[in-house]
Amino acid sequence: QVTAKTAFLFILPQYNVSVPAADGELVHYHYGLKDLVTILFYIFIAIILHAVVQEYALDKINRRLHLSKVKHSKFNESGQLVAFHLTSVLWCLYVVVTEGYVSNPRSLWESYPHVYLPFQVKFFYLCQLAYWLHALPELYFQKVRKEEIPRQLQYIALYLVHVAGAYLLNLTRLGLILLLLQYLAEFFFHMARLVYFTDENNEKLFNVWAVVFVVTRLFTLTLYILVIGFGLPRVENQALDPERGNFFSFLFNNVLFRMSVLLLVCLFQASVMWRFIHFQLRRWREYWNEQSARKRAAAAASGAKQQAKPLKRDSGYHENGVVKAENGTSPRTKKLKSP
């Protein structure tokens, strides 16, 4: 029994409480320090799954494609993220639909703070934290190049801040919707990269990603305005109460603070869109330069073929450098032999 209790500490979420409901009592969860033990266990699970995907899928594909070292590293990165984002999108979509967060948008801010979480919501967040923490030692295991490490560290840190912030500040419902939108766009981007590495002439999926990216940015900005600008200021409990998990809803009663937060959100989304537009312009410029280079090469090849065609000959034909008449006789007058 002692071993079973210790195993449950690693495997199952902790801090369960019984919450009264209309049809009885429901078991919900809140967070605490014991979550670190559970996250540690699932970090090892994530490392094992990472190795399985790498060994039985990505390495086999890489051996067939014969990619360069740079493309090999990017292919492995996108392959791992495609598997993770696809799993997370399906899982997150299932959670937000079954919990009613999509059918009832008011639930994103009603009854804030959302201290008590359903099992699947808490388990989802624990697994998300475990995955992004496991990505840190994977930088060493995958032998990522030094010049790529700062970019990947920034990428991992942004996700950790978002997931941990939503979990610790009791904004898990809003965090779920934002993660769903972000993971959906990221899935199409890394899928487009995989297709591009297998066939450099196939960039159609990048166009699909561009549309999905713009749509998800618009939904994200709308969601921020809806929740921060209109939802949280109407919460009944506006007093600062850290023990109950109410950290900052009272601040949203201040119009200046609320407008400042929305301005920061809009500026951040604008910077993301600017990088996206810059990337698209650079990609289109490279595409048109490549097309014009191909046209110039094709024109040069056709000109060379025309020059290689034989010129129109005069009457007669050449034989060993000597012009012959059409009847085979030489056009020169024959010399008479001396008697």
Side-chain angles (χ1 to χ4, degrees):
Q1 294 181 354
V2 176
T3 307
K5 291 181 179 179
T6 306
F8 288 148
L9 180 64
F10 283 90
I11 298 173
L12 297 177
Q14 304 299 310
Y15 304 105
N16 57 316
V17 293
S18 297
V19 178
D23 54 349
E25 290 186 348
L26 297 176
V27 177
H28 281 58
Y29 298 81
H30 60 94
Y31 61 81
L33 291 177
K34 292 181 181 179
D35 290 341
L36 297 176
V37 179
T38 310
I39 291 172
L40 179 64
F41 173 77
Y42 285 101
I43 286 175
F44 292 116
I45 298 298
I47 292 174
I48 294 172
L49 294 177
H50 189 113
V52 170
V53 173
Q54 185 68 40
E55 178 70 22
Y56 293 99
L58 298 179
D59 285 346
K60 292 183 178 180
I61 299 174
N62 275 319
R63 283 193 288 268
R64 294 181 180 180
L65 296 177
H66 304 289
L67 299 175
S68 61
K69 289 184 178 180
V70 176
K71 290 184 177 180
H72 179 84
S73 176
K74 292 182 178 180
F75 185 88
N76 289 337
E77 177 189 357
S78 293
Q80 293 288 348
L81 289 175
V82 161
F84 168 71
H85 287 316
L86 179 60
T87 304
S88 297
V89 164
L90 296 177
W91 189 3
C92 189
L93 183 63
Y94 174 78
V95 172
V96 298
V97 170
T98 54
E99 293 297 330
Y101 301 152
V102 176
S103 59
N104 183 21
R106 290 177 178 271
S107 61
L108 298 179
W109 62 81
E110 284 182 344
S111 304
Y112 178 83
H114 307 135
V115 179
Y116 300 112
L117 309 176
F119 171 82
Q120 59 181 354
V121 175
K122 176 165 183 173
F123 189 61
F124 177 82
Y125 271 93
L126 293 179
C127 291
Q128 292 293 314
L129 290 171
Y131 179 86
W132 291 112
L133 286 172
H134 112 280
L136 295 173
E138 284 294 343
L139 296 177
Y140 173 76
F141 296 147
Q142 294 291 323
K143 298 179 180 179
V144 178
R145 296 183 304 161
K146 292 183 179 180
E147 54 270 22
E148 288 288 324
I149 290 179
R151 179 186 65 83
Q152 297 215 21
L153 285 177
Q154 181 183 5
Y155 186 80
I156 295 167
L158 287 174
Y159 275 108
L160 281 175
V161 168
H162 175 85
V163 177
Y167 184 64
L168 296 176
L169 297 177
N170 301 312
L171 288 168
T172 50
R173 300 179 184 181
L174 176 62
L176 281 173
I177 304 296
L178 294 177
L179 279 177
L180 176 62
L181 295 172
Q182 178 65 22
Y183 285 165
L184 185 63
E186 289 289 318
F187 167 75
F188 279 101
F189 173 72
H190 289 287
M191 194 68 198
R193 286 181 72 182
L194 290 181
V195 174
Y196 175 76
F197 288 142
T198 56
D199 182 10
E200 294 186 355
N201 296 322
N202 191 350
E203 297 186 0
K204 294 180 180 179
L205 207 55
F206 277 110
N207 299 328
V208 178
W209 164 71
V211 175
V212 174
F213 181 86
V214 173
V215 172
T216 53
R217 290 303 99 193
L218 292 176
F219 271 102
T220 300
L221 185 59
T222 304
L223 197 60
Y224 271 119
I225 295 174
L226 182 65
V227 175
I228 295 175
F230 300 98
L232 288 178
R234 298 181 181 180
V235 174
E236 295 180 359
N237 184 11
Q238 295 288 346
L240 176 63
D241 191 358
E243 293 183 359
R244 285 183 150 185
N246 194 346
F247 295 102
F248 57 86
S249 65
F250 71 99
L251 294 173
F252 289 97
N253 278 330
N254 189 333
V255 177
L256 181 61
F257 177 80
R258 187 163 68 245
M259 296 303 295
S260 300
V261 172
L262 289 176
L263 180 60
L264 290 176
V265 170
C266 292
L267 289 176
F268 176 75
Q269 294 298 324
S271 67
V272 172
M273 285 300 299
W274 170 251
R275 289 196 297 269
F276 168 77
I277 293 172
H278 180 71
F279 170 78
Q280 290 296 326
L281 291 176
R282 185 182 63 184
R283 188 169 70 89
W284 289 339
R285 185 168 56 250
E286 291 175 355
Y287 173 77
W288 288 114
N289 289 338
E290 183 180 355
Q291 292 297 320
S292 60
R294 289 181 179 179
K295 289 180 180 179
R296 287 195 299 268
S302 62
K305 287 181 180 180
Q306 290 179 359
Q307 291 180 0
K309 289 182 179 179
L311 298 174
K312 186 178 180 180
R313 296 172 179 173
D314 297 332
S315 60
Y317 64 94
H318 293 264
E319 183 179 317
N320 296 328
V322 179
V323 179
K324 299 290 184 179
E326 292 183 358
N327 56 3
T329 60
S330 175
R332 299 178 182 177
T333 57
K334 293 182 180 181
K335 293 182 180 181
L336 297 175
K337 293 182 180 180
S338 57

